[in-house]
Amino acid sequence: MVATKPAVELIAVSKRYPNSQLAVSQINLRIPKGSYCCLLGPSGCGKSTLLRMIAGHESVTEGDVLLDNRNVTNHSPAERGTALMFQNYALFPHMTCLDNVAYPLKVAGINKSARLEQARELLAKVNMTDYSNAYPEQLSGGQQQRIALARALIRKPEVVLLDEPLSALDPFLRIQMRKELKRIQHEMGITFIHVTHSQDEAFALADTIVVMSKGELQQVGSPQAIFNKPANPFVANFIGGHNIIKNTPELDNTLTNSSLTGIAAETAFSVRFDRIDIVEEPENNTLPAAVMDVEFQGNHSLVHCQLADSQPITVLCRDNETSLTTLYPGKPVHLHVNPTALNLFTH
């Protein structure tokens, strides 16, 4: 099988500011051509800095940035073949939507009729044809975003870079717009690199997720791989839905035939909330615990418990599980953990 050609390749890329603060450290990353990649992590982890280095709006202290196998580390943004969609959309208030979208072609010297024709095509692509003659102040946040995206696409970039594009939208509109982004990316076949701190957003959009913390890569993989097998405690904690537990001799003895056997005590592992069951009687692979709280979440509840060694552990129970009605803080319970659901961290 022939490997997919990378649209973007970062080779040992680092960014250090004049005050010696290291914002990004030794990033090695290949993003496949035509894919949707999300840079995911908390505020201050370096994801926006990395995006801006790919765009050419931030200088690279060390390393190389390659776009379609071209070394563009020292190229200007205009020479790179990328388009950066800013978080605040940066639309010109005195221009109509049509003129905003067409503006990059005006700068490039394309004649008026040709650039307006292409702008109309892009407005149709983002479902904004009816707003061609409207001004940005007359649009909602989601509509402004569509115009900004159309403007980013009109130069036919190899890579579209999006810096937290959905953060200013209300939750309902955010879900609508992420569907639109994925549709447009899929239809046009352009590589999208999208910065977000939202796990749900990354899981919904990405072919590849890049999890970052403190300027370093923590894990790179598909949404399914990262959710099912987080590489370390940071990833497991940040993406949510996972218990992080330190192994003890008692746990090792209880979880028979598990991958923990022979592993040193204090080694951490994770197990998903939904891979644990509350059972009536002790049996193989059950842990004694006590209920601390029951948190209703709509179609499921989170039952927060405490193991005998005081480690916290959470169980996800569906709303149709009758045992939920019998749970209360302080109640002793038995938690069944399938040994195959245990995830030993790789680093």
Side-chain angles (χ1 to χ4, degrees), residues 23-284:
V24 172
S25 177
Q26 293 289 305
I27 300 294
N28 291 287
L29 179 65
R30 291 164 62 93
I31 299 173
K33 198 176 188 69
S35 67
Y36 204 122
C37 175
C38 282
L39 305 181
L40 174 66
S43 297
C45 72
K47 56 189 185 296
S48 289
T49 300
L50 190 62
L51 191 82
R52 292 175 65 82
M53 286 194 288
I54 296 171
H57 292 280
E58 193 81 61
S59 62
V60 175
T61 305
E62 298 171 5
D64 293 294
V65 177
L66 278 63
L67 298 178
D68 201 21
N69 288 338
R70 295 179 297 117
N71 192 321
V72 298
T73 309
N74 298 314
H75 290 193
S76 70
E79 297 172 313
R80 296 196 178 204
T82 63
L84 176 61
M85 183 172 154
F86 294 97
Q87 190 172 2
N88 64 359
Y89 310 142
L91 299 176
F92 297 112
H94 62 287
M95 291 185 183
T96 65
C97 292
L98 183 65
D99 288 336
N100 261 286
V101 174
Y103 183 75
L105 297 185
K106 181 179 181 180
V107 173
I110 306 299
N111 69 70
K112 185 174 182 179
S113 61
R115 67 177 183 256
L116 291 183
E117 180 181 355
Q118 291 185 52
R120 291 187 184 97
E121 290 176 2
L122 264 300
L123 285 173
K125 180 71 70 176
V126 298
N127 296 320
M128 288 293 289
T129 298
D130 292 344
Y131 296 87
S132 296
N133 296 318
Y135 289 87
E137 65 177 13
Q138 298 171 305
L139 306 179
S140 68
Q143 291 168 336
Q144 289 183 29
Q145 185 194 62
R146 291 169 189 260
I147 298 302
L149 179 60
R151 186 178 60 185
L153 293 169
I154 199 165
R155 290 292 300 272
K156 298 181 173 62
E158 297 174 30
V159 181
V160 175
L161 307 166
L162 305 104
D163 191 3
E164 304 251 18
L166 308 181
S167 61
L169 305 180
D170 64 66
F172 178 76
L173 187 54
R174 196 176 303 146
I175 292 172
Q176 282 189 310
M177 284 308 305
R178 74 189 188 199
K179 291 178 181 177
E180 284 296 296
L181 285 174
K182 185 65 176 177
R183 175 186 65 80
I184 291 166
Q185 184 272 332
H186 181 75
E187 287 179 0
M188 300 192 73
I190 297 174
T191 307
F192 275 32
I193 305 177
H194 176 135
V195 163
T196 181
H197 60 265
S198 167
Q199 301 88 337
D200 290 344
E201 198 169 293
F203 285 142
L205 285 167
D207 302 309
T208 301
I209 294 177
V210 178
V211 184
M212 296 184 64
S213 175
K214 298 179 180 178
E216 298 180 346
L217 296 189
Q218 300 297 314
Q219 189 170 359
V220 179
S222 68
Q224 295 84 358
I226 286 177
F227 187 70
N228 288 320
K229 293 192 70 65
N232 56 44
F234 171 82
V235 176
N237 185 61
F238 186 75
I239 64 174
H242 286 258
N243 294 289
I244 302 170
I245 301 172
K246 287 185 178 179
N247 190 25
T248 64
E250 292 77 16
L251 288 177
D252 211 349
N253 290 333
T254 303
L255 299 173
T256 57
N257 302 316
S258 78
S259 55
L260 298 179
T261 303
I263 300 297
E266 302 302 308
T267 298
F269 64 94
S270 68
V271 59
R272 281 167 39 180
F273 294 175
D274 61 341
R275 296 295 175 86
I276 304 171
D277 297 310
I278 298 174
V279 296
E280 293 293 331
E281 301 293 336
E283 54 187 64
N284 286 342

